[in-house]
Amino acid sequence: MREEKNYWQALNLALDMAMAEDSSVFILGEDVGLYGGTYRVTEGLYAKYGEERVRDTPISENSFTGLGVGAAMVGMRPVVEIMTINFALLALDAIINMAAKIPFMSGGQYTIPLVVRMPGGVAKQLAAQHSQRLEHTLMNVPGLRIAVPSTPQDAYWQLRQAINSNDPIIFLEHELLYFTKGILDSSIEPLPIHRAQVRRKGKHLTIISYSRHVLLCLQAAEQLAKQGIDAEVIDLRSLKPIDWDTCAQSLQHTHRLLVVEEDCQFAGSGAEIVTHLTERCFFELDEAPIRVAGRDIPTPFNAQLEAASIPQVADIIAAAQRFRYPS
Amino acid sequence: MREEKNYWQALNLALDMAMAEDSSVFILGEDVGLYGGTYRVTEGLYAKYGEERVRDTPISENSFTGLGVGAAMVGMRPVVEIMTINFALLALDAIINMAAKIPFMSGGQYTIPLVVRMPGGVAKQLAAQHSQRLEHTLMNVPGLRIAVPSTPQDAYWQLRQAINSNDPIIFLEHELLYFTKGILDSSIEPLPIHRAQVRRKGKHLTIISYSRHVLLCLQAAEQLAKQGIDAEVIDLRSLKPIDWDTCAQSLQHTHRLLVVEEDCQFAGSGAEIVTHLTERCFFELDEAPIRVAGRDIPTPFNAQLEAASIPQVADIIAAAQRFRYPS
Amino acid sequence: MEREQIHKMLRDMLRARAFEERAAEEYSKGNFTGFLHLYPGEEAVAVGVIHAAEPSDYIVTTYREHVHALVRGTPSKAIMAELFGRRDGVCKGMGGSMHLFDAERRFMGGYAIVGETYPIAIGVGYAVMLRKLPEAVICFFGDGAVNQGTFHESLNMAALWRLPVLFVCENNHYQIGTEIHRHSAVTDVYKRAAAYNIPAEKINGMDVLTVNRTTQRLLKQIRSGGGPYLLELETYRFRGHSMADPGTYRPAVEVHSFTTQDPISIAAHEIELNYPTTDQIAEVGPDCITLLTQHAQEKGQLIEQELALMKDDIAKEIDAAVDFALQSPQPTLEECLDDFNINQRTEILI
Amino acid sequence: MEREQIHKMLRDMLRARAFEERAAEEYSKGNFTGFLHLYPGEEAVAVGVIHAAEPSDYIVTTYREHVHALVRGTPSKAIMAELFGRRDGVCKGMGGSMHLFDAERRFMGGYAIVGETYPIAIGVGYAVMLRKLPEAVICFFGDGAVNQGTFHESLNMAALWRLPVLFVCENNHYQIGTEIHRHSAVTDVYKRAAAYNIPAEKINGMDVLTVNRTTQRLLKQIRSGGGPYLLELETYRFRGHSMADPGTYRPAVEVHSFTTQDPISIAAHEIELNYPTTDQIAEVGPDCITLLTQHAQEKGQLIEQELALMKDDIAKEIDAAVDFALQSPQPTLEECLDDFNINQRTEILI
Ligand SMILES: Cc1ncc(C[n+]2csc(CCOP(=O)(O)OP(=O)(O)O)c2C)c(N)n1
Ligand SMILES: Cc1ncc(C[n+]2csc(CCOP(=O)(O)OP(=O)(O)O)c2C)c(N)n1
Ligand SMILES: [Mg+2]
Ligand SMILES: [Mg+2]
């Protein structure tokens, strides 16, 4: 199959294929069934697979995520949808204290083949309580993996890989990506789920990002190119583990590091990226790395301020221009 | 007053004084009252102030922390004790979505003079679910402040300052510090709550840490001194905000940065410290910064492995020795 | 009930409906975006309950709270400006539709994480209890919110410590697209209060007079130390869950009769796709506004002219609110960083 | 009941007590540290319930779970070695006292965050339901755990979807130092199940025969599709909450009579400081072991010699378990990193 698809459609297809192939896969979450999913990701599956395998839940995040953990312990492959990542704060005990720790605490007796999907990020005027980013929190948890696809192709394959994996995987979907389009080609051999990908080759600086902001970085790179600044853009695709080799290789020829994240800057995901690469490539770096990140404020409702609170294309360009390039 | 006190006694005194001075201060948490507190911090207060102001709660972390938020909105000064930080995962909605965001979302109409105290860190064979560190998660939340006292003197003053503050403050107490001793001198003018303190002057490298690990860094520094390595040791005292000026000043004469944290290394608190100081002092640094941090694994129950999972004095020394010093 | 009181309530219900329908219109025009949860159909709940509250009582609400603020006395223009995200909004444009706060009126906020209203309410109640004041806290929540753990935790504490809280369930039978029989094992919410020894009752939330009378009685009891109480109000929302939801999961037959959905007989394909407007529903179903209007007219407490005048006044008020919102400036980043963001405020760092 | 069955249960209760008292001893000697929550006094609960379970049933427990594992069949030496943190422990030294897991015996783990057992149990139950198997899940929890939000959330889901879960409340009247009247507005835990339409009952948790018979009946019903059930067992712990807790908040008079504390008459200063030992309490109070022993002797199902022999066997078994634990090697960091830490395992990263 080779077709243009929306990001949500790619996810929908991945779920459909996984459920068709493996009866141990089931979905649960608020309004995933009869209603078809807030962002349409589970559309059609309730009618096709029935209410037991596509289960509408009450508003009980900690418990239905924990339900997924319990079911995974006995060999099911639950895909839990937390309607949006904002409600994941209520389910962190299930994710951190159960899913991530049981395999270890049990001395390896149990695996947790669980996927927890969460739409998230700053969307459009959803205000402070509905604009949570949680990358940093989840990255710090040993025992989890985190996938952050930015394209329909990755959305499809990484979700299939996540469902096949025996480890608990957090699957972060950006709310503003659902209606982006791209080619879904199921014949292309997918990269391993945790491998980063160079989305644009360049020689002057390395821009590292993930999820929706990869698209903004690519736009920025095109404009920078017109100014003679040739940026390499890396899409991490996975925040845990991070494919450091791909990043370090890039720095070997660019010598400049720019990290772009939507997370609040202070102790955000970018801090680990910068620190690790500084530790590893200190003498490769010509200048101090730069972060372009979310502001350290709760997200304002006002549309202009909301936009100002997270990196825009212009911010990325401005940051890239702060490096001194050899002329 | 100038007396030797345990860390827990210093906290106990701070609570007692604050309650005596201000009737809007009240305490709530599990077993803080009749039982006297798991780590004795609230000992004697139930008898003195009565059950309404020293309230024993059911095991309902999210709701009693949220209760603190509601009471703070109408001018009370609640001090919530979450019995240990491990249970704070259940209360993060109250902390992050309520306490930290209400002042902002309300356009400044409400302040939240709330203190949430949490014993935490890796103690002695408490296993994976009871060895949570949560610095990184809380640091990323705009709207919170975080105090991390390492001495009885700081424990006393920072708690008094936290109770007086109109902002929500997370007060992290390390479980292995409660029975450490130090001089409590209430006549010494305290530093501002967020100011870092140089605990040891030195010229070869800057070691930055906080809470219990400051004590380990000081021990390491003494041993390093015998080898001719003169370490400056900075106690951050506050993780949000961080007093960057004190850190940067130190790097200006040491040119080497070692960050010691008990948090898991990947996306831990050290990542922000290293990144920020690298951004700010890149050309001051002679070498790549080094982190000595917790291992990225759930905490093993076995005592030896538990010790191996977090930085020990020897690890700090070994890391300091990895720098090349001018001879 | 007094004529004057009936007029006040009717006026507030009409204002509420007009405000919400206009908000929908402004949203569709693109004057703001985000989640917009509207209240048409449920007006008797907010109006009946809040008209029973004293200025010294506190109110805690959800994201579906424009009407609660309006009835509490927050000027319509300050609410509309907030929906527009403007500087003259009640939260200076920082909160928006789901987060209206009005400290002056003890309006403790709209919370958008389901289940947050309980802990806030018991917290305010705890403060009242410590201060020994004759004040009550009104805590609103939906039928879906009953299954959040905080309901259980907070009601237990409210009962244990006899906190002065009136828990008000706005039971509109739906948690977004999930009908109550599919989200709750016990669908009479008031019965669940027995697990905490909290007295409770269910009444018709479409009848504003009963809602108001009952609430008055309960608040009096609570203010004088009677402890918490749970009041379940049966109601129905005429629109979808939010502007993003056409509400198509509700069979037309249900929408027209407000009966609860029979989970067995409803299959996805039976769902009626042409979702009716608020007016269409109000015409066929029991509508709280129609009910009160008829009642007042029958009792001779309302004449046609008065009603027309009211509607006219309201139309003008809402127009003015929109004009006000449109003319209000955008808040600036500096204001936002300096005034509301505590991380920038260092002076308090004693 | 059959003689053989009574002997088995008595033996398990004696083993349980001996194991726990020895664990306390080894702890005091410094052979391990951390939190150690012991079970003396409550043996009839774990023994009565678990003896009713089939090998195909699942068990989910709390941090106070050594006895549950022991009764389920995990060898005492594997449990003791786990307490010592050794490689031959049932979790290879990674879990410790609060986190015993035994996958082979469908022993789904000891959870140390209060309230975690409910979601795990309904998760396992959901899997059983999907697979349409005649299996039941037994979910243990304490009286204090009832106030955690997950109780409410999970029981609602269990009821909604008729999951095959037996919720077993070990009501020992205390949440650490907080007596049940001070933590729960409704102190009959079984009554709280009505909020979810879950049938429930309370029985004497000191009487192992009744516990066992009741559980057998309930599990049968659950396995054949009867839906969830809540069983409350009244019991008492003879020791403090954990080794760190001398239990001095319980008035001596209560400890001796197992009556519940009267919250009004108890002031901090009245508390008896000399906390009695397990043996002393067992002597004066209703002790499940004494009760069963007397019953069996009265019915002629147990002679003195048999009892002595049992005790002898058990003493030897426990000695051997300690020897085994002492001789078991420490796990290495490499094992710990490679085998149990998924972040190191890349092969599955398809
Ligand atoms: C904790 C949490 N989970 C999910 C949501 C998404 N959500 C918003 S409103 C809603 C339904 C709430 O239903 P109910 O409590 O009956 O209130 P109603 O919208 O009917 O007034 C859901 C699931 C949320 N905001 N918070
Ligand atoms: C969420 C959470 N809060 C607090 C604790 C600390 N804690 C451990 S056991 C316990 C009391 C539990 O009481 P109960 O459920 O009655 O069980 P029991 O110990 O009496 O068997 C508490 C408060 C915890 N482990 N988890
Ligand atoms: Mg509803
Ligand atoms: Mg108990």
Side-chain angles (χ1 to χ4, degrees):
Chain A
M1 192 196 60
R2 209 192 115 83
E3 255 180 68
E4 182 162 79
K5 292 250 182 235
N6 283 329
Y7 189 91
W8 76 262
Q9 289 169 321
L11 293 165
N12 182 262
L13 187 67
L15 289 171
D16 194 355
M17 303 285 277
M19 291 187 81
E21 280 176 21
D22 183 349
S23 67
S24 62
V25 178
F26 70 101
I27 293 174
L28 78 165
E30 292 155 20
D31 281 312
V32 294
L34 185 59
Y35 186 83
T38 323
Y39 294 99
R40 306 182 62 176
V41 174
T42 52
E43 199 173 87
L45 303 177
Y46 182 84
K48 190 160 174 187
Y49 298 101
E51 68 171 3
E52 292 190 350
R53 287 185 70 198
V54 184
R55 179 59 84 180
D56 285 316
T57 65
I59 309 179
S60 307
E61 280 81 2
N62 204 16
S63 292
F64 71 69
T65 308
L67 187 162
V69 176
M73 288 176 82
V74 292
M76 301 300 294
R77 298 190 168 272
V79 181
V80 171
E81 172 177 306
I82 295 191
M83 186 182 269
T84 75
I85 198 167
N86 311 289
F87 321 135
L89 289 175
L90 292 157
L92 286 181
D93 189 66
I95 293 171
I96 296 177
N97 268 326
M98 300 182 191
K101 289 177 182 161
I102 288 170
F104 185 90
M105 294 195 302
S106 67
Q109 292 180 78
Y110 289 96
T111 53
I112 310 281
L114 169 73
V115 179
V116 185
R117 295 182 38 242
M118 309 180 191
V122 176
K124 290 209 183 300
Q125 288 201 273
L126 301 188
Q129 290 195 325
H130 276 73
S131 303
Q132 194 72 42
R133 286 132 288 171
L134 221 53
E135 295 94 283
H136 66 287
T137 291
L138 298 165
M139 283 169 72
N140 188 256
V141 182
L144 295 182
R145 299 181 183 284
I146 307 171
V148 278
S150 72
T151 65
Q153 176 81 1
D154 281 353
Y156 175 82
W157 279 114
Q158 288 189 290
L159 185 50
R160 302 249 16 213
Q161 291 167 322
I163 294 172
N164 282 336
S165 157
N166 282 331
D167 295 330
I169 298 198
I170 305 295
F171 204 86
L172 299 180
E173 302 163 10
H174 199 292
E175 289 166 16
L176 296 184
L177 285 177
Y178 285 118
F179 293 91
T180 57
K181 281 186 200 309
I183 296 295
L184 176 54
D185 187 338
S186 58
S187 69
I188 296 178
E189 182 78 7
L191 285 180
I193 188 172
H194 65 301
R195 192 63 56 75
Q197 192 164 13
V198 177
R199 295 272 179 215
R200 183 187 195 280
K201 290 256 171 218
K203 51 182 188 292
H204 293 141
L205 83 159
T206 300
I207 305 182
I208 299 180
S209 194
Y210 56 89
S211 190
R212 171 177 176 242
H213 270 77
V214 171
L215 311 192
L216 276 65
C217 291
L218 289 169
Q219 288 174 39
E222 288 317 305
Q223 295 190 39
L224 286 165
K226 294 184 197 139
Q227 304 165 23
I229 301 175
D230 187 19
E232 181 141 316
V233 178
I234 295 179
D235 180 354
L236 287 178
R237 298 177 70 255
S238 162
L239 282 177
K240 193 174 179 84
I242 287 179
D243 174 5
W244 297 119
D245 290 346
T246 299
C247 301
Q249 269 159 33
S250 175
L251 289 176
Q252 267 164 31
H253 61 267
T254 65
H255 312 296
R256 281 168 202 84
L257 172 60
L258 182 68
V259 175
V260 180
E261 62 180 321
E262 197 180 276
D263 216 350
C264 288
Q265 173 163 315
F266 191 85
S269 56
E272 177 61 30
I273 302 170
V274 170
T275 297
H276 185 99
L277 291 172
T278 302
E279 287 166 346
R280 176 159 166 179
C281 311
F282 188 75
F283 294 107
E284 298 282 357
L285 294 176
D286 285 353
E287 291 182 58
I290 298 178
R291 282 183 287 182
V292 183
R295 274 179 192 272
D296 292 314
I297 52 170
T299 308
F301 172 73
N302 176 275
Q304 297 176 8
L305 298 182
E306 178 191 55
S309 77
I310 54 166
Q312 303 296 332
V313 173
D315 301 315
I316 302 169
I317 294 173
Q321 289 169 336
R322 279 167 50 204
F323 288 116
R324 277 149 305 205
Y325 298 95
S327 47
Chain B
M1 190 195 63
R2 209 191 114 82
E3 255 180 67
E4 183 162 78
K5 292 250 181 235
N6 284 329
Y7 189 90
W8 75 263
Q9 290 170 320
L11 293 166
N12 182 261
L13 187 67
L15 290 172
D16 194 355
M17 304 284 277
M19 292 187 81
E21 280 174 22
D22 183 349
S23 66
S24 62
V25 178
F26 71 101
I27 293 174
L28 77 166
E30 291 156 21
D31 280 313
V32 294
L34 185 59
Y35 187 82
T38 324
Y39 292 99
R40 305 182 64 175
V41 174
T42 52
E43 199 173 88
L45 303 178
Y46 181 85
K48 192 159 170 186
Y49 298 101
E51 69 170 3
E52 292 189 350
R53 288 186 69 198
V54 186
R55 179 59 83 181
D56 285 317
T57 65
I59 309 179
S60 306
E61 279 82 1
N62 204 17
S63 292
F64 71 68
T65 308
L67 187 162
V69 177
M73 287 176 84
V74 293
M76 301 300 295
R77 297 191 169 274
V79 181
V80 171
E81 173 176 306
I82 294 190
M83 185 181 267
T84 75
I85 198 167
N86 310 288
F87 320 137
L89 288 176
L90 292 156
L92 286 182
D93 189 66
I95 293 171
I96 297 177
N97 268 326
M98 300 182 191
K101 289 177 183 160
I102 288 171
F104 185 90
M105 294 195 301
S106 67
Q109 291 180 78
Y110 290 97
T111 54
I112 310 281
L114 168 74
V115 179
V116 185
R117 293 183 38 245
M118 310 180 191
V122 176
K124 289 207 182 303
Q125 289 200 275
L126 302 187
Q129 290 195 326
H130 277 73
S131 304
Q132 194 71 42
R133 287 132 288 171
L134 220 51
E135 295 93 284
H136 67 287
T137 290
L138 297 165
M139 282 169 72
N140 187 257
V141 182
L144 295 182
R145 299 181 181 285
I146 307 171
V148 278
S150 72
T151 66
Q153 176 80 2
D154 281 352
Y156 175 82
W157 278 114
Q158 288 188 291
L159 186 50
R160 303 245 21 211
Q161 292 168 321
I163 294 172
N164 282 335
S165 157
N166 282 330
D167 294 330
I169 298 198
I170 305 295
F171 204 86
L172 299 180
E173 302 163 10
H174 199 291
E175 289 166 15
L176 295 184
L177 285 177
Y178 285 118
F179 294 92
T180 57
K181 281 186 203 303
I183 296 295
L184 176 53
D185 187 339
S186 57
S187 69
I188 296 178
E189 183 76 6
L191 285 181
I193 189 173
H194 65 299
R195 192 63 56 74
Q197 192 164 16
V198 177
R199 295 272 179 215
R200 183 188 194 282
K201 292 254 169 220
K203 52 183 187 292
H204 293 141
L205 82 159
T206 301
I207 305 183
I208 298 180
S209 194
Y210 57 90
S211 191
R212 171 177 176 242
H213 270 78
V214 171
L215 312 190
L216 277 65
C217 291
L218 289 169
Q219 288 173 41
E222 288 317 305
Q223 296 190 39
L224 286 165
K226 293 183 196 138
Q227 303 166 25
I229 300 176
D230 187 18
E232 181 140 315
V233 178
I234 295 178
D235 180 354
L236 288 179
R237 298 176 71 254
S238 163
L239 282 177
K240 194 175 180 81
I242 287 180
D243 174 5
W244 297 120
D245 289 347
T246 299
C247 301
Q249 269 158 33
S250 175
L251 289 177
Q252 266 164 32
H253 62 266
T254 65
H255 311 296
R256 281 168 202 83
L257 172 61
L258 183 68
V259 175
V260 180
E261 62 180 321
E262 197 180 275
D263 216 350
C264 289
Q265 174 163 315
F266 191 85
S269 57
E272 177 61 31
I273 302 169
V274 170
T275 298
H276 185 100
L277 291 172
T278 302
E279 288 167 342
R280 176 159 165 177
C281 312
F282 188 74
F283 294 106
E284 298 280 357
L285 294 175
D286 285 354
E287 291 181 59
I290 298 178
R291 282 181 288 181
V292 183
R295 274 178 193 274
D296 293 314
I297 53 170
T299 308
F301 172 74
N302 176 276
Q304 297 175 7
L305 298 182
E306 178 191 53
S309 76
I310 54 166
Q312 304 296 332
V313 174
D315 301 316
I316 302 169
I317 295 173
Q321 289 168 337
R322 280 167 50 204
F323 287 115
R324 278 149 305 204
Y325 299 93
S327 46
Chain C
M1 200 164 292
E2 297 298 321
R3 177 189 173 88
E4 197 196 345
Q5 246 180 309
I6 289 185
H7 278 227
K8 272 192 192 159
M9 284 200 269
L10 179 60
R11 173 185 293 270
D12 263 359
M13 283 161 72
L14 289 165
R15 278 173 83 219
R17 183 144 317 163
F19 185 96
E20 293 292 74
E21 292 297 326
R22 182 63 174 268
E25 210 180 303
E26 298 302 317
Y27 182 93
S28 302
K29 278 191 208 155
N31 271 321
F32 57 98
T33 167
F35 293 142
L36 183 67
H37 308 85
L38 300 172
Y39 206 61
E42 310 188 23
E43 292 89 348
V45 171
V47 173
V49 169
I50 296 174
H51 273 249
E54 295 290 332
S56 54
D57 295 333
Y58 295 89
I59 292 167
V60 186
T61 61
T62 72
Y63 47 88
R64 195 185 296 287
E65 89 290 35
H66 311 159
V67 168
H68 304 72
L70 198 65
V71 175
R72 184 58 171 176
T74 309
S76 52
K77 60 184 188 172
I79 303 173
M80 193 64 83
E82 190 59 36
L83 302 195
F84 279 57
R86 301 301 172 93
R87 191 160 70 185
D88 299 305
V90 66
C91 297
K92 308 216 169 74
M94 298 301 131
S97 161
M98 303 195 287
H99 305 295
L100 302 177
F101 290 79
D102 188 349
E104 205 187 310
R105 294 177 179 82
R106 302 201 161 185
F107 193 78
M108 307 302 294
Y111 295 87
I113 307 295
V114 170
E116 285 184 339
T117 62
Y118 316 112
I120 295 288
I122 64 169
V124 176
Y126 202 88
V128 170
M129 183 269 279
L130 283 172
R131 292 168 176 159
K132 317 259 177 272
L133 294 170
E135 298 169 348
V137 184
I138 300 170
C139 174
F140 288 98
F141 58 98
D143 51 295
V146 171
N147 299 312
Q148 188 62 273
T150 47
F151 173 87
H152 179 71
E153 298 178 345
S154 298
L155 268 72
N156 181 50
M157 288 189 267
L160 260 181
W161 306 327
R162 290 184 73 72
L163 303 180
V165 181
L166 177 64
F167 294 98
V168 178
C169 181
E170 304 184 294
N171 183 353
N172 62 12
H173 304 276
Y174 277 89
Q175 162 201 320
I176 306 187
T178 304
E179 202 270 340
I180 191 165
H181 287 91
R182 296 175 69 241
H183 71 60
S184 288
V186 167
T187 53
D188 284 320
V189 174
Y190 78 98
K191 288 191 184 156
R192 301 178 76 169
Y196 321 99
N197 232 334
I198 292 184
E201 69 194 278
K202 186 203 301 250
I203 61 175
N204 177 6
M206 287 293 172
D207 173 3
V208 72
L209 298 179
T210 306
V211 172
N212 184 256
R213 258 193 305 266
T214 308
T215 310
Q216 282 193 22
R217 169 172 56 83
L218 297 176
L219 287 178
K220 209 162 161 186
Q221 182 179 311
I222 288 170
R223 284 187 212 106
S224 58
Y229 197 97
L230 189 149
L231 178 62
E232 176 183 359
L233 301 172
E234 279 215 271
T235 182
Y236 201 76
R237 64 167 154 74
F238 290 179
R239 289 180 156 271
H241 171 73
S242 72
M243 286 298 281
D245 167 27
T248 46
Y249 43 83
R250 303 192 296 187
V253 54
E254 175 193 320
V255 168
H256 287 128
S257 69
F258 305 177
T259 58
T260 53
Q261 170 188 12
D262 169 4
I264 294 150
S265 69
I266 309 297
H269 64 271
E270 289 175 354
I271 284 170
E272 166 69 62
L273 285 167
N274 292 317
Y275 190 70
T277 64
T278 299
D279 281 351
Q280 287 169 333
I281 301 183
E283 235 168 82
V284 294
D287 170 28
C288 55
I289 294 183
T290 314
L291 284 175
L292 181 61
T293 311
Q294 281 169 356
H295 169 91
Q297 284 171 335
E298 276 163 24
K299 300 261 162 185
Q301 293 176 315
L302 181 76
I303 55 172
E304 207 50 56
Q305 244 176 329
E306 287 172 320
L307 186 62
L309 210 65
M310 253 185 215
K311 289 189 177 169
D312 221 51
D313 278 359
I314 288 165
K316 283 188 200 126
E317 179 190 341
I318 305 296
D319 280 345
V322 171
D323 285 345
F324 178 83
L326 279 169
Q327 276 157 35
S328 174
Q330 306 278 350
T332 66
L333 188 58
E334 290 62 46
E335 286 173 305
C336 152
L337 295 178
D338 295 347
D339 297 350
F340 318 132
N341 185 27
I342 62 159
N343 290 314
Q344 312 294 319
R345 285 190 275 122
T346 47
E347 79 278 10
I348 60 83
L349 287 173
I350 39 172
Chain D
M1 200 163 292
E2 294 300 321
R3 176 190 174 89
E4 197 195 343
Q5 247 181 308
I6 290 185
H7 278 226
K8 272 193 193 160
M9 286 200 267
L10 180 60
R11 172 186 291 270
D12 262 358
M13 283 160 75
L14 289 165
R15 278 173 83 220
R17 183 146 316 166
F19 184 96
E20 292 291 73
E21 293 295 327
R22 184 61 175 270
E25 211 180 304
E26 298 302 317
Y27 183 92
S28 302
K29 277 190 207 155
N31 271 322
F32 56 98
T33 166
F35 294 142
L36 183 68
H37 308 85
L38 300 171
Y39 206 62
E42 311 188 23
E43 292 88 348
V45 171
V47 173
V49 169
I50 295 173
H51 274 250
E54 295 293 329
S56 53
D57 295 333
Y58 295 88
I59 292 167
V60 186
T61 61
T62 71
Y63 46 87
R64 196 184 296 287
E65 88 290 35
H66 311 161
V67 169
H68 304 73
L70 198 65
V71 176
R72 184 58 171 177
T74 308
S76 52
K77 60 184 187 170
I79 304 174
M80 193 63 84
E82 189 60 34
L83 302 195
F84 279 58
R86 302 303 174 91
R87 190 159 68 184
D88 298 306
V90 65
C91 298
K92 309 219 168 72
M94 299 300 131
S97 161
M98 302 195 286
H99 305 295
L100 302 176
F101 290 79
D102 189 348
E104 206 188 310
R105 294 179 179 83
R106 301 200 162 186
F107 192 79
M108 308 302 294
Y111 295 87
I113 307 293
V114 169
E116 285 185 339
T117 61
Y118 316 112
I120 294 287
I122 63 169
V124 177
Y126 202 87
V128 170
M129 183 270 280
L130 284 172
R131 292 169 177 158
K132 318 259 176 274
L133 293 170
E135 299 169 348
V137 183
I138 300 170
C139 174
F140 288 98
F141 58 98
D143 51 295
V146 172
N147 299 313
Q148 190 60 273
T150 47
F151 173 87
H152 179 69
E153 298 178 345
S154 299
L155 268 72
N156 181 50
M157 287 189 269
L160 261 181
W161 307 326
R162 290 184 73 75
L163 303 180
V165 181
L166 178 63
F167 294 98
V168 179
C169 181
E170 304 184 294
N171 183 353
N172 62 12
H173 304 276
Y174 276 90
Q175 161 202 320
I176 306 188
T178 303
E179 201 271 339
I180 191 166
H181 287 91
R182 298 176 67 241
H183 73 59
S184 288
V186 167
T187 54
D188 285 320
V189 174
Y190 78 98
K191 288 188 183 160
R192 300 178 77 169
Y196 321 100
N197 233 334
I198 292 184
E201 70 193 277
K202 186 204 300 249
I203 62 174
N204 177 7
M206 288 292 173
D207 173 3
V208 73
L209 299 180
T210 306
V211 172
N212 185 256
R213 256 193 306 265
T214 308
T215 311
Q216 282 193 22
R217 170 171 56 82
L218 297 176
L219 286 177
K220 209 159 159 187
Q221 181 179 310
I222 288 170
R223 283 187 214 106
S224 57
Y229 198 98
L230 189 149
L231 179 62
E232 176 182 359
L233 300 172
E234 280 216 272
T235 182
Y236 201 76
R237 65 168 153 72
F238 290 179
R239 288 179 156 272
H241 170 73
S242 73
M243 286 299 281
D245 166 27
T248 46
Y249 44 82
R250 302 193 296 189
V253 54
E254 174 194 320
V255 168
H256 287 127
S257 67
F258 304 177
T259 58
T260 53
Q261 171 188 9
D262 169 5
I264 293 149
S265 71
I266 309 296
H269 65 270
E270 290 177 353
I271 283 167
E272 166 67 65
L273 285 167
N274 293 316
Y275 190 71
T277 65
T278 299
D279 281 352
Q280 286 168 336
I281 302 182
E283 233 168 82
V284 293
D287 171 28
C288 55
I289 295 183
T290 314
L291 284 176
L292 181 62
T293 312
Q294 279 168 357
H295 168 91
Q297 283 170 336
E298 276 163 24
K299 300 263 162 183
Q301 292 176 316
L302 181 76
I303 56 172
E304 207 49 57
Q305 245 178 327
E306 288 173 318
L307 186 62
L309 209 67
M310 253 187 216
K311 289 188 175 169
D312 221 51
D313 277 0
I314 289 166
K316 281 190 200 125
E317 179 189 342
I318 305 296
D319 281 345
V322 170
D323 285 347
F324 176 84
L326 279 168
Q327 276 156 37
S328 173
Q330 306 278 351
T332 66
L333 188 58
E334 290 62 45
E335 286 173 303
C336 153
L337 295 179
D338 295 346
D339 297 349
F340 318 131
N341 186 25
I342 62 159
N343 290 314
Q344 313 293 320
R345 285 190 275 122
T346 47
E347 79 278 9
I348 60 83
L349 288 173
I350 40 174

